[in-house]
Amino acid sequence: MIKLFITGTDTNIGKTYISVGLLEEFSKLGLATLGMKPLSSGCYTENDKLISPDALALRKASSVKLEYKLINPFAFKQAIAPHIAAKQENCYLTKKKIEQAMLRMLSIPSDLTIIEGVGGWCTPINEDELMSDVITSMKLPVILVVGLKLGCLNHSILTAQAIKEAKLPFIGWIGNCIDPSMQAMSENIETLKFLLPAPCLGIVPYGHKLGHLNLEPMFRHCL
């Protein structure tokens, strides 16, 4: 069973877009796939339940269909930092609660389970714990989505250093071109390829689907 955690250099850089694309690519290979977003904010209400568009997209792209609550166990209305959103709704998030929800999901049979993070690597879940603490404790392999825009070099290098310090398998990174007017994009991509301690799994042009990805490192590290 392949288990992958998808983190990003920031919020709104295409983690869901890439996660959905990976689920679709692995499904094309005939694998049973599952996508999960344990924690989400900025949700809407439907039938008295809070729903995350990101979690819905993951559910739709998964070949194994599950009830929504398993895919997105912690959902909050306000589009703000999840620990603040949770506090406003009288919910106290903890590393243990999130781990338990993720372990329930990981116990469901599949060939590939993708867990999408919230925000960036160091997103707080309460005053003392970060989402990265959950992933470090569970020793999950990590893929980094780099939002290709001005500032991505600094964000990418800092995130990669944090993943390395956590002693987690850093499978690789995917560049997602979110700013079509970014200057010196190719030079930035080459810098990332040189400086990041993991292979580039692919570059997604602005407005395009995933296209060709190097899936081999995912199989090699996770099987």
Side-chain angles (χ1 to χ4, degrees):
M1 176 180 178
I2 303 173
K3 298 176 287 186
L4 297 171
F5 180 74
I6 309 296
T7 191
T9 48
D10 203 347
T11 191
N12 294 323
I13 49 80
K15 291 189 303 297
T16 302
Y17 188 69
I18 298 300
S19 296
V20 165
L22 287 171
L23 289 167
E24 292 174 344
E25 289 297 313
F26 278 94
S27 292
K28 289 177 186 176
L29 298 175
L31 300 181
T33 60
L34 271 175
M36 180 188 193
K37 190 172 180 77
L39 195 57
S40 62
S41 55
C43 299
Y44 64 90
T45 303
E46 183 178 279
N47 298 325
D48 297 323
K49 296 180 181 179
L50 286 170
I51 303 294
S52 162
D54 292 348
L56 280 184
L58 293 172
R59 185 172 185 264
K60 182 178 179 181
S62 301
S63 64
V64 179
K65 302 302 181 184
L66 300 175
E67 61 176 306
Y68 180 84
K69 187 66 175 177
L70 285 170
I71 294 168
N72 182 209
F74 301 101
F76 306 103
K77 186 174 182 178
Q78 297 299 319
I80 55 179
H83 73 295
I84 299 174
K87 190 174 182 180
Q88 289 182 356
E89 297 181 30
N90 297 313
C91 173
Y92 186 72
L93 292 170
T94 66
K95 172 175 166 285
K96 184 176 180 180
K97 288 179 182 178
I98 297 172
E99 277 186 11
Q100 289 173 340
M102 289 171 61
L103 286 170
R104 281 194 294 272
M105 184 71 169
L106 291 171
S107 70
I108 297 168
S110 72
D111 298 312
L112 167 75
T113 299
I114 285 180
I115 299 172
E116 182 193 334
V118 58
W121 180 250
C122 290
T123 297
I125 55 177
N126 56 46
E127 292 81 359
D128 303 305
E129 297 174 317
L130 308 175
M131 188 63 192
S132 57
D133 295 329
V134 178
I135 308 310
T136 301
S137 174
M138 299 182 71
K139 297 180 173 58
L140 291 174
V142 179
I143 289 177
L144 172 63
V145 178
V146 176
L148 293 172
K149 62 176 181 176
L150 185 64
C152 69
L153 297 180
N154 177 63
H155 292 164
S156 302
I157 292 166
L158 288 174
T159 304
Q161 287 176 346
I163 295 169
K164 183 179 179 180
E165 288 171 3
K167 298 180 180 179
L168 294 172
F170 185 8
I171 304 304
W173 61 277
I174 298 172
N176 187 31
C177 302
I178 59 175
D179 179 6
S181 62
M182 179 185 182
Q183 297 185 43
M185 183 178 291
S186 60
E187 291 88 342
N188 275 267
I189 292 170
E190 289 307 310
T191 301
L192 288 167
K193 288 179 178 179
F194 180 73
L195 290 176
L196 294 186
C200 175
L201 305 177
I203 302 295
V204 182
Y206 181 80
H208 288 63
K209 291 188 175 182
L210 248 62
H212 177 71
L213 285 179
N214 180 12
L215 301 180
E216 191 271 336
M218 304 180 208
F219 283 106
R220 186 177 70 246
H221 285 274
C222 301
L223 288 179

